[in-house]
Amino acid sequence: MLKFRNLTFLIAFIFVFVAFTACSGQNDDGKGMGGDEMAGKAGYSDISPDTAKERLDSDEEVILLDVRTKEEYDTVHIKNSVLIPLDELEAIAPEVIKDKATPIFVYCRSGNRSITASEILVKLGYTNVYNLGGINDWPYEVED
């Protein structure tokens, strides 16, 4: 009976440990790490639209980077964003974004290309990269 209790305790301990560590990467909106917390080994952080909007409205220097196509950008984009399509990012980013420490908020349509773009920027040596996700989730004003 003693061995059964020890085994039960061990299984319970492992379950709690795994549950705790799995949840530690979630922020208050359940979408992963945000703010200044690193998003795993990728080297970039996720940022919520609310936090991004606050920082964009402050006097802080931030580059808001749209990685969609020119056609998508011409249809609708977030005010003051810079367009560098994903397929041109690796070649053009070093010319356009000289300071590799400048905060960069990356967005696309739904959030898939912004993840890829964030990874490319980190690979290029940019150190303040934030994945904003998709313009579809941007609840604030946009421009045509």
Side-chain angles (χ1 to χ4, degrees):
M1 190 68 170
L2 184 58
K3 287 182 181 181
F4 179 75
R5 284 187 185 163
N6 288 342
L7 182 61
T8 303
F9 174 79
L10 180 61
I11 291 171
F13 176 79
I14 291 171
F15 177 79
V16 170
F17 178 77
V18 169
F20 177 78
T21 57
C23 292
S24 65
Q26 298 291 318
N27 64 14
D28 58 353
D29 64 3
K31 292 183 179 178
M33 296 182 187
D36 292 327
E37 298 175 53
M38 296 308 290
K41 295 180 183 177
Y44 64 88
S45 300
D46 289 337
I47 191 167
S48 70
D50 294 334
T51 302
K53 177 78 166 120
E54 287 174 19
R55 290 183 63 182
L56 290 166
D57 288 345
S58 74
D59 288 334
E60 179 182 3
E61 182 182 339
V62 174
I63 294 174
L64 181 58
L65 180 62
D66 187 326
V67 295
R68 299 173 303 151
T69 65
K70 181 171 180 357
E71 293 76 23
E72 289 173 298
Y73 182 86
D74 289 343
T75 301
V76 65
H77 59 271
I78 301 173
K79 183 179 179 179
N80 297 323
S81 60
V82 175
L83 173 66
I84 304 178
L86 180 61
D87 60 352
E88 301 173 23
L89 184 62
E90 200 161 354
I92 294 177
E95 297 172 21
V96 176
I97 309 169
K98 304 260 187 225
D99 183 357
K100 293 193 175 189
T102 300
I104 305 170
F105 298 171
V106 185
Y107 77 93
C108 61
R109 182 183 53 81
S110 65
N112 291 325
R113 287 176 282 181
S114 64
I115 291 170
T116 302
S118 296
E119 292 169 349
I120 290 170
L121 290 168
V122 168
K123 185 178 86 173
L124 291 173
Y126 293 91
T127 58
N128 249 334
V129 180
Y130 296 85
N131 174 34
L132 178 55
I135 194 170
N136 290 347
D137 296 324
W138 183 255
Y140 305 103
E141 188 175 343
V142 293
E143 294 185 331
D144 299 340

